[in-house]
Amino acid sequence: MANQPFSVLDRPNSYIGKSVPRPNARRLLEGRGRFADDLNLPRMLHTAFLRSPFAHARIIKIDAEKAKAAPGVILIADGKDVATHCKPWEGTLAHFPGMKSPLQFPLPLERACWQGEPVLAIAAESRAQAEDAIDLVEIEWEELPVLADSETALDPDTPLIHPELGDNQTFNLMLENGTVDQTFADAERIIEKTFHFGRHTAVTVEPRSLIADFDDSEGRLTVYYSSQSPYQMQDVFSRHLNITEDKVHVICEDIGGSFGMKLHVYGEDLTTCALSIMTGRPVKFTADRFESFVSDIHHRDHRVHAKMAVSNQGKIQAMEIDDLTGIGPYSVYPRTSAVEGNQVVRLTGGSYQFTDYRAKLNVVFQNKNVMCQYRAVGHPIACSVTEGMVDFAAAELGIDPVEMRRRNLIKDDQYPYTSPTGLIFEKLSHHQSLEKVLEMMDYDALRAEQAKLREQGIHRGIGLATFIEITNPGPAFYGLGGARISAQDGCMMKLEPSGKIFCSVSVTEQGQGTETVMAQIAASELGMPLDDVRMLTGDTEKTPYGGATWGSRGVGIGGEAVLRAARALRNNLLEVAGAVLQCSADQLDIQNSQVIDKNTGTERLSVAEIGRIAYFRSDTLPQDFHPQLTVARHYVPQGPPFAFTNGIQASYLELDQETGFFKLLKHWAVEDCGTQINPRLVEEQIRGGVVQGLGAALYEECLYDEQGQFLNPTLADYLVPMAAEIPDIQVGHVVTPTAYSELGAKGAGEAGTAGAAAAVMNALNDALRPFKTELTRMPFTPERILRALGKV
Amino acid sequence: MTEKLYPLTFTLNGSTITRHVTSRLSLADFLRTEMNLTGTHVGCEHGVCGACTIRVEGRLSRSCLMFAIQVEGMTVETVEGLNASGELHSLQEAFHELNALQCGFCTPGILITAAQLLQETPLPSRKQIRDYLSGNYCRCTGYHAIVDAVEQASQKQAERR
Amino acid sequence: MKAPIFDYIKANSLSEVFDLMEKWGEDARIIAGGQSLVPAMNFRLTTPSLLIDINGIEELKGITHSQSTLNIGALTRHYELGTSEEVTKHAPLLSKAVPHIAHEAIRSRGTFGGSLVHADPSAEIPACAMVLDGRFQLQSRQGCRSVSARDFFKGLFETAMEPGEILVSADFDVNEDGYQSALCELERRQGDYATIGVAARAKTDSGNLFDLRLVYFALEDKPILANHAAAILEGSRGDEAAIAAAKTELTKDLNPIGDLHTSANTKLHLAKVLLERVVKNLLKHAKGTDD
């Protein structure tokens, strides 16, 4: 536990808790972003991929003769060509016992397993020429049986996608706590429902993009990459392309959205590196929107049967769930595609006091694009199932959903608390958050308005969704399972001669404000103005090694590394000041870039003066005194495996029962992420996350037919939330810092997405209640609503 | 075999530009690769996402849905030009202060669209702002802060008048 | 997603267009606003050898009106249609349709004529043109012929145009006193392709519906006139019984085709819902309570 004499939280002129604007947003506002595709290197080639038109087919023959002769074409490479430069991978981890997935090559050697899988690469002088050449390639295919419906994946007569694995299952899991069967046998009421969650994709506005530049003279690979995980990818490029790690340099400047989608290993990306090795020229690959739809990882795609035992007094006594999720033909490397299902079964029910819980998870293969982790991994599924069941139970018992939650949520004084699946909650604030959201939305007034309007035939619904959120993954995460993905982070900080600070850190920026928040922590601890701290992230050669940004770990882990580096540098600065002023460093502090006398506040020396003396007049310093003006510190997360946060969301909507359309009127979110370094950035994380969650409830679904053909891979047909349909989102805060770190900050990146769809589902079902019908299949399209209403 | 090149002369951000282009080169790609104006972003190449929105002849246009050759003799403005002219100033200030951008990829298209709105409707309501921006996709912000920022910029501009 | 190679000619006159069409035949495509054509080219769904750019041809531009006729040039941009006082006055239905067409950036390039010729079954303009009984001037080397909107739309992206013809403009009778028009559309998101829509016009000044014309879009492979339903409502005050009867009659008019998100049955249901709404809308305006 932290026990520091000078806490960063209460230092004079602290930036902690201040909503300062992001300095690095300026250039984005002036059109001076530096996105991967903005860069053009001399002699650079462009790649296009021929993609499988079938969901499952054997490659009989490739005829690329005409393409080879096409203008601008430099190189054509198939799976075998690329495999000579790049080793295949297997998307399993040791801590998922029994998990299996076949070896995956960057481009398949014999067989395409999903529609859109890249099978052939062409490098040409321009992207247009590469596409022209793709059109000239002829492939003879032998179509194979397609497994499109995950419900049939484990049926005995379903053909196996990978016969060598013995079945179509990649992973399964059974969790049990307490006396589930007995409790259900004795239960006064049992609620049983089935929920469906559509397959989504990230649809970052910036598609995946990279430039691979292999310099044969030094054997060095430089990759300019739209990726949120440069260190992991440095490792992957090194091991799979057989280049030592020190010769792989990954540079991630501005990232146009990632949300977990841009940290997985993609065949196109490794192929692009291989093409650079083969041609000796820089090679760019920027996915177009169609390619994004068929090859960016998908996510969700769950079917959950759920059962809940409740007493007549509205006490939840037990829950049982069965989750089936289809992940495409391969488990994605290196994080695996088991994580989402794993989090679904572990998080479900986690906000409530019952202890009898059983969960079954089946993760199966299909001939569809691969599925993997995306923002709020598993959370929206777990939250929607849990909160949906709580509301169904409340409705059956005639209890108000608020009262149902008051009776069952883990009490605010019940911590530390261990969930039935072993999750350790240090301290959550469910009840405080519930009361907060009720106050923000004026719940009673809304209920009154709803009742009044219902008499006029206007059907509105109010929905609540409590959630828990996994943040700050601990030191065992991924490494334990054998993946070389770091759980610690590092920070390097130096004094410039002018008195400014340069700081590099291994957590990365994708627009959430990482650099700003890190600078706020550094400036606060150093006693420097924010403008004096220059940040650098996303460059494997210029920053310490770390885990980067995913799983809401930036502030909670990276921030602590920055704090420690800043403290070390401040102490070193004060040592120099002490030497100059011939006093003890203990008597000094830094405020507003001036060294001051701690007791009197008198300014003694500027930090700039320390720089001048230390770097240029070290002759004036005592003999054998060596100013240490560059420091580095690393931080390993402490305490339980995760820092859990919690919150609640509420939705208010109006249903048009004739058309099945509904309109969101307002959305509220309360989040407790502990200490907020920059409250505005927290709010914007929540709002953005909420709207990604709303997409799941309103629109988003990758539609496939029985032949595994993706039916809507355009932005005209795959609908994402746009400004006109999205309501204002009011955000409130409850602050429960974690005591396991100095800053007390937990993550906030998943919260919005975790609870939004559940709140909408509950609001919609609230509106549907007079019609004695309900919906549990997302997205809630007019078609589905009209069917539920019996109108069609 | 080389592709046929067509002469092209037009006004870009106030300067006369003369180049030779292939017919199939989109205006967005031309701006980004030939003119190195990388503030115009390409997000979908089928006219839906709005990231490539620019001004052609004083009106909004998707630069992915025009071929460069089509702007012969026309006036084209990009985020770089509008930044230099100061037209975006109030919007940029408000977007910065209210954090109405995260990754920044959609931002140039949104700024230009918002600037056009404020030309047509100096004091728009929140609904008008949402409606006018309904063709600009942002995955990060959830739009609320963008609406706040356009609203604030419109008020600041009105005060100045 | 880059367009394939093509030749490009910016035509200065219709005769130049005719020359080019004769020479290149079906390998040539005309580009006006390009807001549907260019995405199709980027996806390589259409691969013309020649693009004939007609944006510079003056004869295709402009909105004019005589005592009885409003003439709208094919190159009229959607935003021009939406902001034209003459259109608002003489063909208000068209003004009402404009806000439903995609988004501002698309409306500034996309053209009135392009929308008609493209014949997208979910587009608003073709349906409105049918309601207003528009007459399309099709010109070719051989001369000019006029085709009524009802005969123009043949199917999915199919029209009555012959090779070598170009749409020059459309004529509409100017709105007579006592007539009201309305457009009701369901779209998942603002500016999206319609889930379903209906455009309508009727003489309503007495509070009764006369000369009602209803055209549905995004329902079949082309805009569809609902004459049976309209006949039932003729002379009625849009009362419950008349609407109910008209809804039943709609099944004779409509034979919906389902799409990716909406089944045929649901489209039929929604068509009935919109029937009631559009009729109420027409009559509401008649009573002078303009929304």
Side-chain angles (χ1 to χ4, degrees):
Chain A
M1 298 265 171
N3 181 21
Q4 288 293 319
F6 303 108
S7 162
V8 65
L9 303 173
D10 47 27
R11 281 180 59 77
N13 304 325
S14 171
Y15 290 96
I16 309 299
K18 301 247 162 64
S19 292
V20 300
R22 290 158 50 205
N24 60 359
R26 284 255 178 229
R27 57 191 168 76
L28 297 169
L29 285 161
E30 297 193 6
R32 291 172 157 271
R34 293 189 293 268
F35 297 94
D37 189 67
D38 295 344
L39 188 65
N40 290 303
L41 299 180
R43 303 170 64 243
M44 188 175 79
L45 299 173
H46 299 259
T47 324
F49 290 89
L50 191 152
R51 295 174 183 278
S52 172
F54 302 110
H56 197 190
R58 196 179 309 286
I59 304 163
I60 304 294
K61 192 173 159 232
I62 298 176
D63 179 359
E65 286 310 307
K66 274 187 236 157
K68 269 182 200 153
V73 171
I74 302 299
L75 183 73
I76 299 181
D78 65 12
K80 293 183 191 75
D81 300 326
V82 175
T84 59
H85 296 275
C86 183
K87 288 194 228 67
W89 50 83
E90 185 188 297
T92 58
L93 286 172
H95 68 292
F96 292 127
M99 185 173 190
K100 53 191 193 290
S101 185
L103 274 186
Q104 186 181 2
F105 288 81
L107 306 178
L109 302 184
E110 298 167 346
R111 198 166 53 111
C113 290
W114 80 88
Q115 180 232 338
E117 182 176 2
V119 295
L120 186 89
I122 296 186
E125 298 288 353
S126 75
R127 167 77 186 203
Q129 287 177 323
E131 288 186 29
D132 293 347
I134 291 288
D135 287 348
L136 299 173
V137 177
E138 280 171 34
I139 297 193
E140 190 185 323
W141 297 94
E142 177 197 342
E143 284 188 68
L144 298 169
V146 172
L147 168 47
D149 181 3
S150 51
E151 291 279 1
T152 66
L154 301 178
D155 292 351
D157 52 348
T158 299
L160 302 184
I161 297 180
H162 307 293
E164 70 276 19
L165 299 182
D167 59 26
N168 284 321
Q169 185 169 59
T170 174
F171 181 63
N172 72 329
L173 183 67
M174 195 71 171
L175 298 174
E176 182 150 2
N177 191 63
T179 56
V180 180
D181 289 330
Q182 192 58 48
T183 305
F184 273 104
D186 298 343
E188 288 171 331
R189 305 280 183 117
I190 294 175
I191 319 289
E192 226 175 323
K193 305 283 173 192
T194 299
F195 299 81
H196 289 91
F197 301 88
R199 204 174 230 268
H200 310 158
T201 186
V203 202
T204 56
V205 194
E206 180 208 29
R208 281 163 38 222
S209 180
L210 78 160
I211 300 168
D213 183 11
F214 183 72
D215 178 351
D216 201 19
S217 68
E218 289 183 285
R220 285 174 52 85
L221 175 70
T222 305
V223 182
Y224 304 87
Y225 205 2
S226 179
S227 166
Q228 61 191 94
S229 198
Y231 314 96
Q232 169 202 308
M233 293 313 299
Q234 177 191 21
D235 173 72
V236 167
F237 292 143
S238 160
R239 285 186 295 112
H240 289 272
L241 297 164
N242 202 23
I243 305 168
T244 56
E245 207 167 51
D246 57 302
K247 290 186 173 172
V248 177
H249 183 187
V250 179
I251 301 165
C252 307
E253 292 202 81
D254 292 322
I255 314 295
S258 52
F259 317 112
M261 184 273 284
K262 289 178 183 165
L263 48 63
H264 306 291
V265 170
Y266 291 96
E268 293 93 342
D269 301 3
L270 268 301
T271 299
T272 301
C273 295
L275 292 175
S276 180
I277 294 169
M278 287 185 245
T279 58
R281 293 172 65 169
V283 181
K284 178 187 272 188
F285 169 62
T286 298
D288 65 29
R289 188 51 58 188
F290 170 77
E291 292 182 292
S292 300
F293 273 110
V294 300
S295 71
D296 290 359
I297 57 120
H298 290 181
H299 50 273
R300 317 304 184 221
D301 196 352
H302 291 253
R303 183 276 292 142
V304 182
H305 296 307
K307 225 166 103 179
M308 182 181 265
V310 283
S311 73
N312 286 333
Q313 278 67 50
K315 195 77 192 161
I316 302 169
Q317 294 159 321
M319 238 185 125
E320 182 173 0
I321 66 163
D322 177 346
D323 180 15
L324 172 75
T325 176
I327 57 145
Y330 299 97
S331 167
V332 175
Y333 183 68
R335 292 167 191 248
T336 85
S337 305
V339 176
E340 177 150 281
N342 187 53
Q343 296 204 163
V344 170
V345 296
R346 289 179 194 280
L347 288 168
T348 298
S351 304
Y352 295 92
Q353 294 174 40
F354 68 90
T355 54
D356 293 335
Y357 178 73
R358 179 189 291 139
K360 195 170 123 190
L361 169 67
N362 268 309
V363 185
V364 300
F365 294 119
Q366 312 150 296
N367 292 115
K368 292 182 183 174
N369 185 13
V370 293
M371 208 257 328
C372 201
Q373 283 88 291
Y374 166 81
R375 192 174 201 170
V377 184
H379 292 63
I381 316 297
C383 178
S384 298
V385 169
T386 308
E387 295 301 300
M389 293 302 279
V390 168
D391 268 25
F392 287 130
E396 174 151 337
L397 295 165
I399 298 174
D400 185 275
V402 171
E403 181 54 29
M404 189 73 185
R405 285 173 176 78
R406 284 192 182 127
R407 287 183 199 176
N408 288 285
L409 286 166
I410 302 166
K411 293 184 176 18
D412 289 358
D413 60 3
Q414 252 179 306
Y415 299 97
Y417 187 97
T418 302
S419 84
T421 60
L423 308 176
I424 300 162
F425 305 139
E426 178 198 358
K427 185 150 177 51
L428 302 178
S429 59
H430 285 306
H431 290 267
Q432 210 186 326
S433 299
L434 172 64
E435 298 311 320
K436 174 100 188 167
V437 84
L438 296 177
E439 180 198 318
M440 283 162 57
M441 65 197 288
D442 199 351
Y443 182 78
D444 294 337
L446 274 193
R447 280 284 178 213
E449 180 178 76
Q450 178 192 31
K452 201 172 138 205
L453 289 171
R454 209 167 264 183
E455 286 168 16
Q456 302 165 23
I458 295 169
H459 290 270
R460 292 193 172 179
I462 301 167
L464 294 169
T466 293
F467 61 87
I468 49 174
E469 176 194 13
I470 298 176
T471 79
N472 296 359
F477 209 61
Y478 286 121
L480 178 71
R484 293 167 66 86
I485 302 166
S486 189
Q488 62 77 52
D489 277 287
C491 172
M492 192 272 281
M493 214 176 276
K494 76 170 172 183
L495 177 73
E496 304 282 9
S498 60
K500 309 281 184 192
I501 304 295
F502 172 81
C503 174
S504 74
V505 61
S506 60
V507 287
T508 53
E509 169 85 89
Q510 295 88 38
Q512 65 276 73
T514 303
E515 291 189 356
T516 305
V517 166
M518 297 302 135
Q520 284 179 260
I521 295 167
S524 302
E525 184 65 11
L526 283 162
M528 304 285 284
L530 192 64
D531 286 350
D532 285 2
V533 181
R534 156 90 188 137
M535 295 298 308
L536 180 92
T537 60
D539 186 321
T540 57
E541 283 196 345
K542 293 177 183 150
T543 61
Y545 198 87
T549 300
W550 44 271
S552 287
R553 62 189 300 289
V555 181
I557 302 172
E560 295 289 328
V562 170
L563 176 66
R564 281 155 178 76
R567 179 170 306 139
L569 182 58
R570 186 187 68 202
N571 290 341
N572 291 357
L573 291 172
L574 293 178
E575 260 190 56
V576 181
V580 172
L581 300 169
Q582 298 187 340
C583 68
S584 159
D586 291 346
Q587 296 167 18
L588 303 171
D589 198 357
I590 303 174
Q591 249 184 49
N592 201 19
S593 65
Q594 299 291 324
V595 174
I596 57 160
D597 185 296
K598 217 187 255 179
N599 294 322
T600 64
T602 315
E603 287 185 7
R604 302 291 307 273
L605 187 69
S606 71
V607 172
E609 185 63 5
I610 297 177
R612 188 188 69 82
I613 295 170
Y615 288 126
F616 308 122
R617 293 304 307 277
S618 41
D619 59 307
T620 64
L621 293 171
Q623 190 75 21
D624 217 22
F625 180 73
H626 307 279
Q628 298 300 315
L629 300 178
T630 302
V631 300
R633 288 293 184 274
H634 287 254
Y635 178 77
V636 178
Q638 302 296 302
F642 301 98
F644 276 91
T645 77
N646 70 281
I648 186 164
Q649 295 189 30
S651 168
Y652 189 41
L653 57 79
E654 184 171 311
L655 172 71
D656 179 342
Q657 75 270 25
E658 289 186 312
T659 63
F661 282 64
F662 65 91
K663 182 177 165 54
L664 301 178
L665 301 172
K666 185 99 195 240
H667 199 96
W668 298 265
V670 171
E671 155 79 340
D672 183 351
C673 62
T675 307
Q676 299 178 51
I677 311 300
N678 187 320
R680 187 184 301 283
L681 296 184
V682 172
E683 285 188 12
E684 290 311 313
Q685 273 298 293
I686 302 299
R687 288 203 175 99
V690 163
V691 175
Q692 285 182 22
L694 294 179
L698 268 60
Y699 310 116
E700 295 188 44
E701 189 167 27
C702 301
L703 299 167
Y704 280 86
D705 68 11
E706 304 91 52
Q707 286 310 303
Q709 291 288 319
F710 194 160
L711 301 173
N712 57 335
T714 75
L715 269 177
D717 295 318
Y718 181 97
L719 309 186
V720 290
M722 301 295 273
E725 290 74 30
I726 296 304
D728 281 349
I729 299 159
Q730 195 184 343
V731 182
H733 305 287
V734 170
V735 177
T736 310
T738 170
Y740 288 99
S741 70
E742 280 190 52
L743 292 163
K746 301 181 262 190
E750 331 292 334
T753 307
V760 170
M761 179 179 70
N762 283 349
L764 179 63
N765 284 328
D766 188 45
L768 286 170
R769 209 143 274 135
F771 304 99
K772 304 207 173 348
T773 186
E774 65 200 27
L775 272 169
T776 50
R777 183 187 284 268
M778 294 187 198
F780 305 115
T781 62
E783 175 83 32
R784 286 173 183 160
I785 292 171
L786 288 173
R787 279 178 197 280
L789 285 165
K791 304 245 183 197
V792 293
Chain B
M1 188 179 94
T2 50
E3 278 180 56
K4 192 167 163 189
L5 293 174
Y6 296 76
L8 168 66
T9 300
F10 72 112
T11 305
L12 177 58
N13 295 328
S15 305
T16 303
I17 302 293
T18 299
R19 288 286 188 284
H20 281 81
V21 295
T22 60
S23 54
R24 65 162 151 177
L25 184 64
S26 77
L27 182 54
D29 285 349
F30 173 82
L31 293 170
R32 290 176 51 74
T33 60
E34 304 279 320
M35 303 312 300
N36 293 314
L37 295 175
T38 50
T40 298
H41 296 148
V42 174
C44 76
E45 293 175 284
H46 53 285
V48 187
C49 80
C52 70
T53 305
I54 58 166
R55 249 196 214 145
V56 177
E57 293 285 89
R59 298 200 60 85
L60 297 178
S61 189
R62 301 283 206 239
S63 59
C64 75
L65 295 191
M66 286 188 81
F67 297 109
I69 184 65
Q70 290 186 281
V71 298
E72 172 68 32
M74 294 187 187
T75 300
V76 173
E77 293 162 280
T78 68
V79 65
E80 290 87 353
L82 295 180
N83 178 61
S85 76
E87 186 180 339
L88 297 179
H89 183 74
S90 305
L91 285 164
Q92 287 165 326
E93 289 299 307
F95 271 61
H96 190 232
E97 184 189 330
L98 301 177
N99 202 53
L101 71 161
Q102 289 184 29
C103 80
F105 199 80
C106 70
T107 307
I110 288 194
L111 286 172
I112 292 175
T113 306
Q116 192 76 13
L117 167 65
L118 297 189
Q119 258 190 18
E120 294 172 13
T121 312
L123 276 170
S125 66
R126 289 181 80 79
K127 182 175 185 315
Q128 283 176 313
I129 296 168
R130 286 188 179 274
D131 287 355
Y132 206 89
L133 288 171
S134 65
N136 289 77
Y137 171 50
C138 168
R139 191 55 140 178
C140 298
T141 64
Y143 303 106
H144 183 121
I146 293 174
V147 179
D148 285 349
V150 175
E151 201 176 28
Q152 178 172 310
S154 73
Q155 287 157 1
K156 287 255 165 78
Q157 283 189 2
E159 280 164 28
R160 244 173 262 148
R161 263 192 292 270
Chain C
M1 208 188 278
K2 307 294 178 195
I5 295 172
F6 56 85
D7 280 327
Y8 171 88
I9 295 174
K10 184 158 185 178
N12 293 310
S13 66
L14 284 177
S15 74
E16 192 182 347
V17 175
F18 299 140
D19 287 345
L20 291 166
M21 287 199 289
E22 263 167 33
K23 186 173 158 209
W24 289 74
E26 288 190 355
D27 293 337
R29 285 291 301 264
I30 288 175
I31 183 165
Q35 303 299 286
S36 299
L37 177 61
V38 179
M41 290 175 70
N42 289 351
F43 274 110
R44 299 193 173 208
L45 297 171
T46 178
T47 56
S49 304
L50 173 71
L51 267 198
I52 306 169
D53 189 336
I54 57 169
N55 282 285
I57 301 178
E58 289 304 321
E59 297 151 86
L60 303 175
K61 296 180 184 172
I63 300 171
T64 57
H65 77 101
S66 64
Q67 209 144 37
S68 62
T69 309
L70 179 73
N71 178 276
I72 301 176
L75 270 182
T76 303
R77 312 273 169 196
H78 294 312
Y79 84 89
E80 291 174 315
L81 197 65
T83 51
S84 157
E85 284 175 18
E86 285 168 317
V87 174
T88 309
K89 187 157 176 238
H90 300 301
L93 181 61
L94 292 173
S95 317
K96 289 174 189 170
V98 171
H100 292 279
I101 305 172
H103 310 281
E104 192 59 29
I106 305 291
R107 294 193 287 266
S108 12
R109 288 293 304 165
T111 65
F112 173 74
S115 179
L116 294 173
V117 168
H118 185 50
D120 186 321
S122 61
E124 294 82 3
I125 295 294
C128 293
M130 268 175 72
V131 168
L132 300 177
D133 230 349
R135 287 146 338 258
F136 303 155
Q137 271 65 61
L138 306 179
Q139 202 163 330
S140 68
R141 175 73 78 207
Q142 284 69 41
C144 191
R145 65 177 179 128
S146 177
V147 175
S148 86
R150 292 180 193 211
D151 300 327
F152 186 76
F153 301 104
K154 295 291 184 193
L156 182 68
F157 308 130
E158 264 183 61
T159 69
M161 284 174 75
E162 298 288 338
E165 280 186 329
I166 184 168
L167 174 71
V168 175
S169 65
D171 283 339
F172 300 95
D173 294 341
V174 298
N175 195 46
E176 285 175 49
D177 283 349
Y179 276 81
Q180 285 294 337
S181 61
L183 184 134
C184 285
E185 177 172 339
L186 292 172
E187 45 196 350
R188 297 288 297 282
R189 304 170 308 174
Q190 179 169 317
D192 274 357
Y193 291 112
T195 298
I196 178 174
V198 61
R201 194 207 65 165
K203 188 167 165 61
T204 59
D205 50 356
S206 61
N208 297 51
L209 292 160
F210 291 106
D211 196 14
L212 172 64
R213 218 171 287 151
L214 290 167
V215 175
Y216 281 87
F217 55 100
L219 201 70
E220 299 188 24
D221 61 352
K222 59 185 178 193
I224 297 296
L225 260 167
N227 283 335
H228 288 91
I232 293 281
L233 289 163
E234 185 70 20
S236 83
R237 300 184 74 85
D239 50 288
E240 215 167 295
I243 299 242
K247 282 183 179 176
T248 309
E249 206 65 6
L250 260 190
T251 47
K252 288 187 190 160
D253 291 314
L254 306 177
N255 187 20
I257 304 169
D259 63 29
L260 213 49
H261 302 284
T262 314
S263 68
N265 265 342
T266 298
K267 291 217 173 195
L268 186 59
H269 166 78
L270 293 173
K272 292 176 182 174
V273 173
L274 288 196
L275 177 71
E276 183 167 352
R277 291 187 182 183
V278 83
V279 164
K280 286 196 171 145
N281 202 328
L282 286 171
L283 290 168
K284 183 173 71 180
H285 287 299
K287 286 166 199 151
T289 52
D290 204 333
D291 62 359

